[in-house]
Amino acid sequence: MKFYSFWRSLAAYRVRIALNLKGVTPDEVIDVNLMKGQQREAAYRAVNPMMALPALIDGDGPILFESLAIIEYLDETHPQPPLLPRDARGRARVRGLAQIVACDSHPLIVPRVREYLEHELKIDEPTRMAWCRHWHVQALTALETQLQSKETGRFCHGDQVTIADICLASQAAGAKFFNVDTAPFPTVVRIAGACQEIDAIARAHPLKQPGAPASV
Ligand SMILES: N[C@@H](CCC(=O)N[C@@H](CS)C(=O)NCC(=O)O)C(=O)O
C-alpha cells in the first residue's frame, strides 16, 4: 500500500486517522510537499490529476483519491472498527456532517484557492486570512448547530468514532492553523478533545508527522 501524504494536509490527516483506527500501516508513505508546490509536478499529477492530497494505492490499484472515498474504501475492506452507523438514517447523518467539512468548507481554504486569490485576484494577505476564517466559522457554526441533536453522544453520532469525528478532528486542527477562535463552538471543542484522547487519532495529528514544525 502506498499513501501520498504531507504533514500539513488536513485531507491526508483524515485518511491517516482511518488507517490508524483500522490498524493498517502503508508500506510506503510518499511525501508530496504542498508548500513547495509538488502536488502540481508531473509526477504527482499522474497520480491525481486534481493535484490534491491524499491518494492511496492498495496493491495493483486503481489509484484512490478524495479522502472520504478512501476512508469508505478502508471501512469496507477493514470492517473493524466500523466508521459508519448500522442504520441508513445514521449513515446519512454521519456522511452529512463529514461533508460539511470535506466538501463544503475545507475545499475553500486549500492552497490552490489561496494561491488563486493571491496571484490571480491580487488579494492581500489579511483579506485572504479573513476569507479562510470566514469559511471555517461557517462550517463550525453549522457543525455546532447540527451537534445539538439527541443523536450526538461522546462523539458526533453516539459513543463510537465515525467518519464525522474524523472530519471534525481535521476541522479543529485547521481552525488552529488559521487562528480561528473556537470558544463559540463548545460541542465541537468537546468532541475534538474526546477524539484526541484516542491514540490512533492523536498520533495522526499533522504536527506529529515527520517534517512538521512544533507549531504553526
Ligand atoms: N476534497 C478533497 C480535498 C483534497 C485537497 O484539496 N487536499 C489539499 C490538502 S489538504 C491539497 O492537496 N491541496 C493542494 C492544492 O490546493 O494545491 C479530499 O477530501 O480529499
Side-chain angles (χ1 to χ4, degrees), residues 8-12 14 34 39-40 51-54 65-68 102-103 106-107 110-113 115:
R8 201 181 198 286
S9 163
L10 297 173
R14 295 195 277 272
L34 296 180
Q39 71 275 28
R40 291 187 290 270
M51 297 179 273
L53 290 170
F65 48 91
E66 289 288 336
S67 61
L68 292 182
C103 305
H106 178 212
V110 290
R112 59 188 175 279
V113 171
E115 286 164 20

Side-chain angles (χ1 to χ4, degrees), residues 47 50 55 130 148 151 154 204:
V47 173
M50 191 60 198
Q148 301 316 303
E151 313 294 337
R154 175 164 170 76

Side-chain angles (χ1 to χ4, degrees), residues 71-142:
I71 292 168
E72 290 217 18
Y73 167 79
L74 291 170
D75 200 36
E76 287 173 23
T77 51
H78 300 80
Q80 296 303 324
L83 296 177
L84 284 168
R86 292 174 70 90
D87 62 304
R89 288 180 189 175
R91 284 196 296 279
R93 177 171 181 269
V94 162
R95 289 186 173 120
L97 291 168
Q99 288 174 23
I100 287 174
V101 175
C103 305
D104 292 344
S105 157
H106 178 212
L108 294 165
I109 57 107
V110 290
R112 59 188 175 279
V113 171
R114 300 203 311 270
E115 286 164 20
Y116 188 84
L117 293 174
E118 179 179 359
H119 300 301
E120 303 297 322
L121 303 184
K122 312 289 180 207
I123 291 178
D124 61 31
E125 155 75 9
T127 314
R128 294 198 308 272
M129 281 307 279
W131 163 281
C132 292
R133 291 202 188 103
H134 171 78
W135 296 115
H136 269 287
V137 168
Q138 291 272 306
L140 290 164
T141 303

Side-chain angles (χ1 to χ4, degrees), residues 15-215:
V15 170
R16 205 161 43 238
I17 294 175
L19 287 165
N20 287 353
L21 286 168
K22 300 291 186 180
V24 176
T25 307
D27 302 295
E28 203 181 340
V29 178
I30 299 154
D31 236 22
V32 179
N33 190 322
L34 296 180
M35 282 144 142
K36 293 186 179 157
Q38 286 177 348
Q39 71 275 28
R40 291 187 290 270
E41 290 177 4
Y44 188 67
R45 224 169 39 234
V47 173
N48 185 357
M50 191 60 198
M51 297 179 273
L53 290 170
L56 186 92
I57 309 178
D58 190 12
D60 54 5
I63 300 171
L64 304 179
F65 48 91
E66 289 288 336
S67 61
L68 292 182
I70 296 172
I71 292 168
E72 290 217 18
Y73 167 79
L74 291 170
D75 200 36
E76 287 173 23
T77 51
H78 300 80
Q80 296 303 324
L83 296 177
L84 284 168
R86 292 174 70 90
D87 62 304
R89 288 180 189 175
R91 284 196 296 279
R93 177 171 181 269
V94 162
R95 289 186 173 120
L97 291 168
Q99 288 174 23
I100 287 174
V101 175
C103 305
D104 292 344
S105 157
H106 178 212
L108 294 165
I109 57 107
V110 290
R112 59 188 175 279
V113 171
R114 300 203 311 270
E115 286 164 20
Y116 188 84
L117 293 174
E118 179 179 359
H119 300 301
E120 303 297 322
L121 303 184
K122 312 289 180 207
I123 291 178
D124 61 31
E125 155 75 9
T127 314
R128 294 198 308 272
M129 281 307 279
W131 163 281
C132 292
R133 291 202 188 103
H134 171 78
W135 296 115
H136 269 287
V137 168
Q138 291 272 306
L140 290 164
T141 303
L143 286 173
E144 183 67 28
T145 308
Q146 291 288 5
L147 290 170
Q148 301 316 303
S149 152
K150 66 177 173 28
E151 313 294 337
T152 303
R154 175 164 170 76
F155 294 104
C156 288
H157 195 79
D159 296 329
Q160 304 298 322
V161 170
T162 64
I163 294 172
D165 301 291
I166 293 177
C167 289
L168 180 141
S170 76
Q171 182 77 43
K176 283 223 165 63
F177 286 177
F178 287 89
N179 271 322
V180 175
D181 177 16
T182 51
F185 314 107
T187 316
V188 173
V189 171
R190 173 181 70 71
I191 295 173
C195 287
Q196 293 307 321
E197 285 174 18
I198 296 173
D199 177 64
I201 300 182
R203 66 191 153 82
H205 194 276
L207 296 179
K208 296 204 175 130
Q209 304 316 304
S215 63

